[in-house]
Amino acid sequence: MAPQDAILGWDEDSNAEAYDAFTRAHPMYDATSRDLARRGHLANASLVVDLCGGAGATARAILDLIPARARVVSVDNAAAMQRVGRRTLTDARLTWITSPAERLADHLHASSADAVVCNSAIWKTDTAAVFAAVAHILRPGGHFVFNIGGGFAGVRHPDELSTRTGPSLNALIRQVAAETHGYTPPPRDADRPPKLPLKTVTEQLTAAGLTIVGTELTAQHSTMAEKKAWLSIPVFARPEGDFTHAQRMQILDTAYAMTTPDAPAVTSWLVVVVAQRPKAAA
């Protein structure tokens, strides 16, 4: 199941609390956070930015890898998410800044960050502006690591193609909504061009003065039970359209009853590792 393009709603307490509870109960965000942090060359870092950091799932992974003297700055424009994070993540090395990702350079000195990590969010931003801001605050030789949901990058891992044995939970949700509410689904994602393909990313990074040093298509393995829990978060609940949250949860329960809880589900991710070009010798 491709990740949903949930842009609005993150500054609502119900979403923030539900999202944080999900990240603590299920491995999906913890696994992707640790994967990105591992690629960020953090062992000798002094300052790491957790971009679009939400309630701190990725910050937790970064804090586990950086030296004791290092600092993490978590930047997100949703105060509700950060309120949850401040309450549950109290490491003194962590600072919270409430700001859009595009305004990152307003809050950090030029060439001050050793690494910037962004998990499960870059496609929700003005990427050209974000890449320019990252280039401004990243030190020469520093690394910027982010991932793009496979649906948004227009790629699918072989595991996603081979593992599925029946309809996805999203497909079943659309089916149930059509049968019980006369729902007409919007055009399928497969009929649309990808929102953020690697070609676009490469062009924008190059324009910002950043260089891709590696990409990898990865697969996140989970279960239908975890997908149901994820789709229970209000901001991710489906189907689209004029439904109450209670109606969406009823549709979800009906669709989920048509699956096997431990049936495998796979999400594809395109991981991109970027380096700041060293300054030319004088």
Side-chain angles (χ1 to χ4, degrees):
M1 181 178 69
Q4 302 298 326
D5 194 3
I7 296 176
L8 303 177
W10 292 109
D11 208 16
E12 298 173 7
D13 289 335
S14 59
N15 282 315
E17 295 286 354
Y19 175 85
D20 183 64
F22 175 88
T23 65
R24 293 175 181 279
H26 300 278
M28 183 171 73
Y29 285 103
D30 182 67
T32 51
S33 293
R34 293 188 182 282
D35 176 56
L36 296 185
R38 177 182 58 81
R39 299 171 189 262
H41 301 268
L42 306 184
N44 296 310
S46 296
L47 174 63
V48 180
V49 177
D50 175 20
L51 191 60
C52 304
T58 303
R60 288 198 297 269
I62 294 170
L63 287 164
D64 285 344
L65 295 180
I66 60 173
R69 67 182 185 283
R71 296 188 301 124
V72 178
V73 175
S74 186
V75 178
D76 197 279
N77 66 350
M81 294 286 281
Q82 292 194 330
R83 282 196 296 272
V84 173
R86 289 173 186 270
R87 187 183 72 236
T88 59
L89 189 56
T90 58
D91 194 303
R93 296 173 295 169
L94 176 60
T95 301
W96 305 84
I97 295 178
T98 307
S99 170
E102 295 83 355
R103 303 295 298 272
L104 174 65
D106 293 349
H107 303 281
L108 293 168
H109 296 300
S111 303
S112 60
D114 297 286
V116 177
V117 180
C118 182
N119 185 18
S120 307
I122 199 70
W123 61 88
K124 301 173 188 177
T125 71
D126 177 346
T127 47
V130 168
F131 295 163
V134 169
H136 181 76
I137 63 99
L138 198 62
R139 68 164 178 79
H143 288 83
F144 175 32
V145 188
F146 60 92
N147 54 14
I148 307 170
F152 303 118
V155 295
R156 298 178 73 185
H157 193 279
D159 286 3
E160 183 180 358
L161 298 171
S162 64
T163 300
R164 182 172 293 171
T165 57
S168 69
L169 191 51
N170 263 354
L172 292 171
I173 286 170
R174 290 191 292 266
Q175 175 185 320
V176 171
E179 293 172 351
T180 60
H181 293 79
Y183 171 70
T184 301
R188 296 289 302 275
D189 289 343
D191 300 326
R192 306 170 184 167
K195 181 175 183 178
L196 195 60
L198 183 58
K199 180 177 183 294
T200 298
V201 170
T202 302
E203 291 170 350
Q204 292 181 352
L205 288 168
T206 299
L210 297 167
T211 303
I212 293 179
V213 296
T215 64
E216 183 180 355
L217 182 57
T218 66
Q220 175 69 32
H221 294 259
S222 61
T223 63
M224 284 292 183
E226 184 176 10
K227 293 299 183 185
K228 179 180 185 290
W230 186 71
L231 288 166
S232 298
I233 302 171
V235 75
F236 292 131
R238 293 294 181 265
E240 303 88 343
D242 189 20
F243 293 91
T244 66
H245 185 63
Q247 287 174 321
R248 289 190 175 100
M249 293 301 96
Q250 184 178 40
I251 292 168
L252 174 60
D253 287 341
T254 302
Y256 180 65
M258 301 164 69
T259 72
T260 302
D262 60 356
V266 178
T267 302
S268 299
W269 293 95
L270 179 63
V271 179
V272 182
V273 181
V274 179
Q276 174 68 288
R277 298 170 184 167
K279 292 181 178 179

